Amino acid sequence: MTDTHAQTKPAGQAANDQVAGEQAQTWRDDFSRVLSPVFGSPQLDLVRGQGSYVWDASGRKYLDLLAGIAVNALGHAHPAWTTAIAEQASTLGHISNFFTSPAQIGLAEKLHQILDLPAGSAVFFSNSGTEANEAAFKMARRAGGGGRPFIIAVDGAFHGRTMGSLALTAKAAYREPFAPGVPGVVHVPYGDTQALEAAINENTAAVFIEPVQGEVGVRTHPAGYLTAVRELTTKFGALMVLDEVQSGIGRTGSWFAHQDPEIGEGVTPDIITSAKGLGGGMPIGATITVGDANTKLLEAGQHGTTFGGNPLSCAAGLAVLETIEKDNLLTHVTEVSDWLKSQLAEVEGIGEITGKGLLLGLELTGGAADGQDAGDGVGPDSKAVAARALEAGFIINPVAPGRLRLAPPLTITTEELTPFIAALPGLIAG
């Protein structure tokens, strides 16, 4: 497959490529020798990033259409982000939770502002999305005075891999190796309001739900479903917890996906979890309680984390939010998304396009996925398409059989996306 980003190779480049390939193999051998196998073998040895692009050890350039799985909101090495980290590191890097810092307070205040939180609301900072959901899980255990044993999650959900979050995650292959797991979680069918009505009662502590399910192929819920969740949780005194780890921080063209009327239907949750794009590449998670009663679900000493609210990560997070605001990136995301979806709709081999903003799922059509029959509605093998894309200089994600996920930096431009659109039909066809 032609590398659409590479320059014409000068004389002697083949020899250089061989040396680079040998070096890359050495790095992969080193990886297997010294690092845990949980992530499998790395696809690339990346050494540098700038804006929407990354470079591997051989000097090859790739358009990053995944952004660290919706993490690098400002792309790579954005000057506002790098400056904020450098300046914070030159004063305070870590101070423990016996103390606070201007960066921690500033980021929390900014989250209060963009969510328009009522008085009594609060932010708990942690280090990742799964930790943000663990804190919400513990809050749910305290709901109703601690006497509600059941929590509801939705099929197709991904909430994390630590034990509480793992119990909420739908995919059995993730949970079964660690059985019996955390008890009390009930999974209901996706989009089925009647099943939700049958499952929820006075013993339900909370319903955990992503406004946009990312790991199942990027899908929103049927019209009226989030409204039904809010009405039923209110009726039975349960919490509504929105997991915006992937869908928040401008990803859908709103600060948080549930603030988009088409997605969130105007609901106000009790707890919101955030991470990924919030740090722009620095590790951070946030569990946001809406209102005083929800904030009081955890008291002093009932939860904590060593690095939560770390000045360095908070400074990075504040830079992300301020840059999104200053550069009007929410509007930019919507405009680029509208253009991108219109272009994708014309690509042969692309069927349904799901999601919103710069969190999109692409259905592949016109063939059979690996191990599938052509008549079962599953298109070409998404892993093979992603592998061909990587060879051609594009990083995309085969998120599910027959489906690709795009989650590029919020700063990406139509000019940067144009070569990908041009190459996509050939990548799908193989």
Side-chain angles (χ1 to χ4, degrees):
M1 185 67 64
T2 302
D3 182 350
T4 57
H5 299 288
Q7 302 296 321
T8 302
K9 292 184 178 181
Q13 185 63 52
N16 292 339
D17 285 350
Q18 181 178 351
V19 171
E22 291 171 354
Q23 177 65 64
Q25 185 58 53
T26 299
W27 283 16
R28 289 187 181 92
D29 290 343
D30 289 343
F31 178 93
S32 350
R33 182 173 53 83
V34 299
L35 286 164
S36 169
V38 296
F39 297 118
S41 179
Q43 298 176 49
L44 295 173
D45 303 296
L46 298 179
V47 297
R48 182 167 69 90
Q50 185 66 52
S52 300
Y53 299 95
V54 292
W55 285 259
D56 68 14
S58 70
R60 290 194 68 205
K61 180 182 180 182
Y62 303 83
L63 181 64
D64 186 359
L65 296 170
L66 188 57
I69 313 182
V71 168
N72 300 104
L74 304 182
H76 299 275
H78 191 286
W81 184 79
T82 57
T83 298
I85 293 170
E87 290 181 351
Q88 184 61 55
S90 69
T91 55
L92 287 172
H94 178 71
I95 55 174
S96 91
N97 287 311
F98 292 133
F99 312 102
T100 191
S101 70
Q104 184 186 56
I105 294 170
L107 180 57
E109 285 183 333
K110 195 68 179 174
L111 287 168
H112 276 250
Q113 174 196 328
I114 65 180
L115 283 162
D116 192 23
L117 296 174
S121 303
V123 180
F124 170 78
F125 287 120
S126 54
N127 308 288
S128 65
T130 193
E131 288 182 65
N133 285 326
E134 288 286 342
F137 194 108
K138 289 179 71 173
M139 291 174 186
R141 287 290 197 229
R142 298 289 300 151
R148 293 170 174 255
F150 298 109
I151 297 173
I152 294 174
V154 179
D155 281 351
F158 182 89
H159 295 288
R161 295 179 186 264
T162 50
M163 291 304 287
S165 301
L166 182 64
L168 298 165
T169 294
K171 194 171 182 179
Y174 291 157
R175 291 185 281 109
E176 288 173 352
F178 308 100
V182 178
V185 176
V186 177
H187 293 266
V188 296
Y190 163 80
D192 189 333
T193 302
Q194 291 184 334
L196 177 64
E197 289 175 345
I200 193 169
N201 55 46
E202 292 83 357
N203 292 318
T204 303
V207 175
F208 277 71
I209 188 167
E210 301 157 284
V212 183
Q213 290 188 331
E215 299 302 313
V216 78
V218 186
R219 66 183 181 187
T220 54
H221 298 276
Y225 189 75
L226 287 185
T227 299
V229 173
R230 180 67 285 183
E231 290 174 350
L232 288 166
T233 51
T234 300
K235 176 181 177 181
F236 289 102
L239 302 174
M240 181 180 187
V241 182
L242 286 184
D243 179 342
E244 292 251 29
V245 168
Q246 185 168 164
S247 60
I249 316 302
R251 181 55 51 189
T252 62
S254 300
W255 280 113
F256 287 85
H258 78 274
Q259 293 175 308
D260 182 327
E262 292 182 5
I263 297 175
E265 303 175 338
V267 303
T268 299
D270 297 295
I271 299 172
I272 304 159
T273 60
S274 179
K276 287 189 179 288
L278 179 59
M282 287 291 285
I284 192 170
T287 308
I288 304 160
T289 48
V290 181
D292 183 67
N294 295 319
T295 296
K296 289 179 178 176
L297 288 169
L298 288 181
E299 301 173 1
Q302 289 187 333
H303 195 54
T305 176
T306 297
F307 293 102
N310 180 281
L312 207 56
S313 292
C314 287
L318 188 56
V320 168
L321 299 185
E322 289 179 342
T323 301
I324 290 173
E325 190 170 58
K326 177 176 69 69
D327 292 352
N328 202 21
L329 288 182
L330 299 183
T331 298
H332 175 78
V333 165
T334 299
E335 291 174 349
V336 172
S337 177
D338 289 345
W339 176 89
L340 178 57
K341 286 189 288 187
S342 71
Q343 297 295 307
L344 289 168
E346 300 299 320
V347 173
E348 185 175 357
I350 295 291
E352 182 185 27
I353 302 167
T354 57
K356 196 164 188 181
L358 292 177
L359 180 59
L360 299 178
L362 313 181
E363 178 194 25
L364 300 175
T365 62
D370 187 29
Q372 302 285 343
D373 293 328
D376 68 359
V378 179
D381 181 5
S382 56
K383 290 183 179 179
V385 174
R388 289 192 289 268
L390 193 64
E391 183 183 348
F394 305 103
I395 297 174
I396 59 177
N397 178 228
V399 67
R403 297 194 69 84
L404 300 173
R405 172 171 53 180
L406 303 181
L410 307 185
T411 53
I412 200 166
T413 65
T414 56
E415 291 78 12
E416 291 171 330
L417 285 163
T418 296
F420 170 67
I421 296 295
L424 193 50
L427 300 175
I428 295 171

